Amino acid sequence: MNNSVDYRPEPNLAYAVVFGFVMVLGLPLNAVSLWILLRRHSLKSSNAIFMVNLAISDLLLVISLPMRVYLYATGTWPLSSKACNCITMLFRNNIRLSAIFITFISVDRLLAVVYPLRSRHLRTASNAWKSVALVWLFVLVVNIPEGMVLAGNLNNSSESTCFEFRGQHQQQQQQQQEQLRLALSYFQIVLVVTLLTVNLVSTALVSCTLHRRLNDSAKVNNKVNVMLIFAMNLVMFTICFLPVSVGVLTIKRHEITPLVCLASVNCCLDPLLYYFSLDAFWKKKEDVDLAREQ
């Protein structure tokens, strides 16, 4: 049996250019950010731990983009259906992981600003690593039924591309897979909307707290940076995560590619979070520690 999949989609240079741009920009941005986070910032900080995992998630998405570029540039898919399945899962995992880790960063900033003393025992490296481990485990568990649906679509679709499915399955099997697909799609929307709500509440609480402390001795620049973090988080949810999550249910599957392009841009925006979230992002860890002691 031949494991390769004979796909004949229409080439679309616009999609190829967008994915290529995200790949060319996202790879160095996230690679450099990850290097700086690991080299110059201590992983004893919960915020830094969340950002390292966010950068890893973005890099996993970026390494899947060359095949998307090839597919939309040439209209052919040279790899197996399993490779197509893996690349699709990397994109979906990035949406979930990015949404969750961005929310963790927001909640961490919320606790640091609104409850700086009472939250010290919560904002520890140990708790951060436990949270990160649970998130990765959660995503892997979700991949099991989702991978089954994708595999069924690829194996049974009579006319498909690697990221678009148009064929008809046997009726019973089609109904079962469609029910599971709908359940996963609703789950995705509920997850994104819930995390967006957490970010909205966190933004409101932090904004009120900073407004009350407007005359404090704290530097205004730091307050601006804090609000920029929350503003960027909301932008990524409303532009990158929410449209594609809703589009899975409301748009035909072979017409959702524009929203996928939009969602993939989040891996180019995330590095800005690192700059605004961590004090002296470009400085060495020793310099940051010294500045805090003075």
Side-chain angles (χ1 to χ4, degrees), residues 8 26 46 76 80 101 133 137 152 157 193 195 197 205 211 216:
R8 293 293 184 268
S46 58
T76 59
S80 67
F101 289 137
L137 179 62
S157 183
V193 171
L195 296 176
T197 302
L205 291 175
H211 181 73
D216 289 355

Side-chain angles (χ1 to χ4, degrees), residues 110-238:
L110 165 69
L111 294 175
V113 172
V114 182
Y115 310 106
L117 298 179
R118 284 184 289 175
S119 65
R120 283 185 176 179
H121 68 287
L122 296 174
R123 298 175 54 246
T124 63
S126 176
N127 288 337
W129 282 117
K130 291 176 183 177
S131 301
V132 165
L134 287 175
V135 169
W136 284 98
L137 179 62
F138 161 75
V139 169
L140 291 176
V141 169
V142 173
N143 284 173
I144 296 174
E146 197 163 42
M148 293 171 58
V149 172
L150 289 173
N153 283 330
L154 286 169
N155 291 332
N156 297 304
S157 183
S158 59
E159 182 185 358
S160 64
T161 74
C162 179
F163 306 110
E164 304 164 5
F165 312 107
R166 303 187 184 90
Q168 299 295 323
H169 310 159
Q170 294 180 354
Q171 185 174 3
Q172 183 177 4
Q173 184 179 18
Q174 182 184 15
Q175 290 177 350
Q176 292 175 346
Q177 291 191 350
E178 185 64 15
Q179 290 174 355
L180 183 55
R181 187 192 71 82
L182 287 174
L184 290 168
S185 299
Y186 280 117
F187 164 77
Q188 175 79 10
I189 293 178
V190 171
L191 176 66
V192 171
V193 171
T194 301
L195 296 176
L196 175 58
T197 302
V198 173
N199 278 271
L200 286 169
V201 173
S202 299
T203 302
L205 291 175
V206 170
S207 179
C208 291
T209 301
L210 293 178
H211 181 73
R212 289 198 302 267
R213 299 177 184 176
L214 190 60
N215 296 323
D216 289 355
S217 59
K219 293 182 179 180
V220 176
N221 288 338
N222 291 339
K223 295 180 180 179
V224 171
N225 284 353
V226 169
M227 291 313 302
L228 282 174
I229 294 169
F230 287 96
M232 288 180 56
N233 289 348
L234 294 178
V235 166
M236 280 190 278
F237 267 91
T238 54

Side-chain angles (χ1 to χ4, degrees), residues 43-69:
L43 289 184
K44 295 180 180 179
S45 163
S46 58
N47 211 22
I49 292 172
F50 296 143
M51 291 179 187
V52 165
N53 283 271
L54 180 58
I56 292 173
S57 171
D58 288 337
L59 284 173
L60 289 176
L61 171 65
V62 170
I63 64 175
S64 72
L65 294 181
M67 291 312 303
R68 285 185 182 266
V69 174

